[in-house]
Amino acid sequence: MSKTVIVGGVAAGASTAARLRRLDENAEIVMFERGEHISFANCGLPYYINGTIPKRSSLLVQTPEAMHARFNLDIRTMSEVREILKDEKKIRVTNVLTKETYYESYDYLVLCPGAQPFVPDIPGIDKANVFSVRNIPDSDNIKHYVETNGIKKATVLGGGFIGLEMLEVLNEMDIETTLVEASSQVMNGLDQEMSNIIHNYLAANDIKLLLNERAVFLEGDDLVSKVNLSSGNAIDTELVILGAGVKPETWLAEEAGLELGSTGGILVDDYLKTSDPYIYAAGDAVQIKDFVTGEDILVPLAGPANRQGWIVANNIAGRNIKYTGSQGTGILKLMDLTAAMTGKNEKQLRNLGIDYLTCKVHPASHATYYPGSNQMTLKLIFTPKEGKVLGAQIVGYDGVDKRIDVLATSIRAGLNVFDLQELELAYAPPFSSAKDPVNMAAYAAGNILNEDVKVVNWEDVPDLVANGAYLIDMRTEGEVKRGQVPGAHNICVDELRDRLDEIPKDKEILLYCQVGIRSYIGNRILLQNGFKVKNIIGGYKSYCNSK
């Protein structure tokens, strides 16, 4: 009978323990957790603070008592593992409450320490009204502090998932909240123009967003009363939330002499085994491979952590299953807006020197004649030759989740855009259109690959126009009156065949409409009439998002 000791619960640790018991009824399984809770819903923490999740108990996926009863596990909460003695195959444990220290032996050790919030090194960061959001006690503390002190103004530092979720939560609690982000955009998993949709949405809802700004000093005596920024400006505040992301917690592994990877995460092989043959690691603390590119990455997401824990248990039980990597699929709710991504974005591919093409469509979430339809922006990134899907991003209001899931599946299955054209997806007017948004993006990508249309991005248009290109807006006169790109000539697509003599044949022609469909039709007309023409990706809607 083998003995497996698991350090850390939540996603990876609890998944390892439950799977291992299902595979081996006789194994001795001991789980150590330095906190009170072994399995809780990290991703639900912000929604408990504002009462969206009313019951605290709802965050508890499994209690120690319930998990012991079902899986016959030796679960020891409030117990911190302080040292690994590899040569002796022992760990040193300290009871957090009594300070008692003892040693525990193992045949296999599984490290699931997770990630810890990134805490910027700035004066005042340790004051009592500065909070992280990592566990249930953190959410308890924030909820109690807000309710007890009648907070009216708050500041969130960092525009990642947690930062944006806390922005929504505090806003819904009628707390005037400012989000401070050091880069030019929130949600770095998106490309700039897709994040701009979020920026514009926040502005439309009178929510303060400060980009290219850093907190340099948190001013106040016992409590932060003012956040001083790199620009010299300052924000009055009564509460500060750290939302600048997380970093892997690796000190235990590092002190034990286990190898760390180039990303700073615990180095593991394809079977999630560390540099010690009797020690595995899983979850937010490990360095893994990117499924699309094979590069070394950190992916602090619940889905990959659960999968890794399941695989570790299989490997300890002798089933030898490889972890094939993560593609970083994620989704965010921000009030009424939804943003999602999977695979690689343009910034990442450029940094890696990987060639790619993109297309962008703005389809309706379902049939426009059925009430409640709204528009989404879907960006597809694919290889220039075979059209293999490399990544996708969607920002919209309804139906974003099911489309990103289809595209995430296509990446995992190695599909190309022509395969996506063939997908037969569920259709009825309340749910989709006869051509689903995924199909529509695939057709747009296929047109580019088949050279039925040549495309250009908005960022390239000013230089092209400066060098003599002729810009045409193919929308109606009424649409143009509501906003137009400076310097564009208006020829409605339905009038195009009768107005060909107005268009210079000695210049490159650039076309756009509202979302790209009418200008694509215009491209086909002009191309077959001997013009040199390109379509501007995403139309006027993408132009507005690029600002």
Side-chain angles (χ1 to χ4, degrees), residues 300-349:
L301 294 172
N306 272 285
R307 173 70 177 168
Q308 290 160 24
W310 184 89
I311 286 176
V312 166
N314 278 274
N315 291 333
I316 290 174
R319 294 202 173 190
N320 296 329
I321 297 176
K322 289 184 177 182
Y323 183 68
T324 56
S326 172
Q327 61 206 61
T329 304
I331 191 165
L332 170 82
K333 172 188 173 295
L334 183 61
M335 294 174 285
D336 296 327
L337 195 70
T338 303
M341 74 289 293
T342 187
K344 309 307 287 183
N345 60 35
E346 283 197 73
K347 295 173 293 186
Q348 294 164 336
L349 292 171

Side-chain angles (χ1 to χ4, degrees), residues 184-477:
S184 64
Q185 65 171 92
V186 299
M187 287 195 79
N188 282 325
L190 299 175
D191 285 314
Q192 179 74 53
E193 81 280 9
M194 299 296 284
S195 287
N196 286 346
I197 303 172
I198 301 175
H199 305 163
N200 295 335
Y201 176 77
L202 293 175
N205 284 276
D206 297 321
I207 296 174
K208 296 178 182 178
L209 170 64
L210 301 179
L211 298 171
N212 298 304
E213 282 275 30
R214 290 183 300 104
V216 294
F217 173 52
L218 304 184
E219 184 178 336
D221 295 326
D222 296 327
L223 301 173
V224 178
S225 59
K226 188 172 292 186
V227 179
N228 292 282
L229 304 172
S230 53
S231 63
N233 296 322
I235 308 166
D236 292 329
T237 195
E238 300 166 295
L239 174 73
V240 177
I241 302 292
L242 303 181
V246 296
K247 59 181 181 180
E249 185 169 319
T250 60
W251 65 268
L252 183 62
E254 190 172 7
E255 288 185 3
L258 298 178
E259 289 185 35
L260 302 185
S262 59
T263 63
I266 301 171
L267 187 66
V268 293
D269 64 12
D270 290 344
Y271 299 91
L272 300 174
K273 188 178 291 184
T274 70
S275 53
D276 184 291
Y278 299 101
I279 303 177
Y280 291 82
D284 296 352
V286 305
Q287 174 177 292
I288 58 175
K289 295 294 184 183
D290 185 278
F291 181 79
V292 177
T293 65
E295 65 182 307
D296 294 326
I297 55 170
L298 296 169
V299 179
L301 294 172
N306 272 285
R307 173 70 177 168
Q308 290 160 24
W310 184 89
I311 286 176
V312 166
N314 278 274
N315 291 333
I316 290 174
R319 294 202 173 190
N320 296 329
I321 297 176
K322 289 184 177 182
Y323 183 68
T324 56
S326 172
Q327 61 206 61
T329 304
I331 191 165
L332 170 82
K333 172 188 173 295
L334 183 61
M335 294 174 285
D336 296 327
L337 195 70
T338 303
M341 74 289 293
T342 187
K344 309 307 287 183
N345 60 35
E346 283 197 73
K347 295 173 293 186
Q348 294 164 336
L349 292 171
R350 281 197 298 268
N351 289 338
L352 293 168
I354 296 174
D355 290 335
Y356 63 89
L357 294 172
T358 71
C359 71
K360 199 177 298 165
V361 294
H362 304 283
S365 57
H366 61 253
T368 54
Y369 57 81
Y370 187 89
S373 173
N374 48 59
Q375 203 170 50
M376 67 179 70
T377 299
L378 193 163
K379 179 175 183 176
L380 194 61
I381 306 175
F382 48 96
T383 59
K385 293 182 179 179
E386 68 274 22
K388 185 177 180 180
V389 181
L390 296 173
Q393 302 161 44
I394 312 177
V395 181
Y397 296 89
D398 182 46
V400 169
D401 53 344
K402 66 178 181 178
R403 274 71 188 219
I404 204 68
D405 283 344
V406 170
L407 292 165
T409 303
S410 76
I411 292 174
R412 184 63 58 165
L415 303 184
N416 62 34
V417 300
F418 302 107
D419 296 319
L420 295 185
Q421 294 176 4
E422 298 283 348
L423 292 183
E424 186 176 332
L425 302 173
Y427 161 62
F431 303 105
S432 185
S433 300
K435 278 193 294 190
D436 187 86
V438 172
N439 300 130
M440 294 177 68
Y443 282 118
N447 287 337
I448 295 170
L449 289 169
N450 290 331
E451 298 187 348
D452 291 330
V453 62
K454 293 184 178 180
V455 295
V456 63
N457 288 301
W458 277 111
E459 63 224 47
D460 300 318
V461 170
D463 286 342
L464 292 172
V465 171
N467 289 322
Y470 192 80
L471 183 62
I472 300 179
D473 186 332
M474 310 222 76
R475 298 175 299 159
T476 64
E477 186 177 338

